[in-house]
Amino acid sequence: MIKLTEAAIAAIQEKTAAKAGAVGLRLSIKSTGCSGNSYKMEHAMAEDLSADDKIEQGGSVLYIPKIHSWMLMGMEIDYAHSALSSGFVFKNP
């Protein structure tokens, strides 16, 4: 369903470990009108996850609300570093 690059897997693991009680990251999706969707990664806490799909790759755990899973079929998530910023990169066909 969703492919995580090695850089994304490492970033998910690092960010999960940095937050006490986190069990992974959660990918939230928000409609932004005619420009499409915006994606937000946040810490996933165990009590929030009953309505989420769980994706495990390379030891990392990513949760996605089931109501949004169909929108992400075939997506690739990467993590990029540059001189000015770093963050997740979403490639959604």
Side-chain angles (χ1 to χ4, degrees):
M1 170 168 34
I2 293 177
K3 179 183 186 257
L4 301 173
T5 66
E6 292 299 319
I9 289 169
I12 290 170
Q13 291 172 336
E14 179 183 325
K15 292 179 183 307
T16 299
K19 175 81 170 177
V23 294
L25 292 186
R26 186 169 195 252
L27 174 57
S28 301
I29 303 163
K30 182 177 180 178
S31 180
T32 57
C34 60
S35 64
N37 297 308
S38 65
Y39 305 104
K40 178 181 177 184
M41 293 288 235
E42 56 195 350
H43 290 100
M45 308 308 275
E47 65 275 359
D48 303 332
L49 307 171
S50 62
D52 288 4
D53 286 324
K54 181 179 180 181
I55 297 168
E56 296 179 87
Q57 290 182 25
S60 68
V61 182
L62 179 66
Y63 294 91
I64 300 169
K66 289 180 194 257
I67 61 170
H68 296 135
S69 291
W70 66 273
M71 298 167 58
L72 304 175
M73 295 293 237
M75 175 184 260
E76 179 182 272
I77 301 174
D78 193 11
Y79 194 83
H81 298 277
S82 73
L84 299 176
S85 67
S86 62
F88 289 98
V89 177
F90 304 95
K91 299 173 187 167
N92 193 349

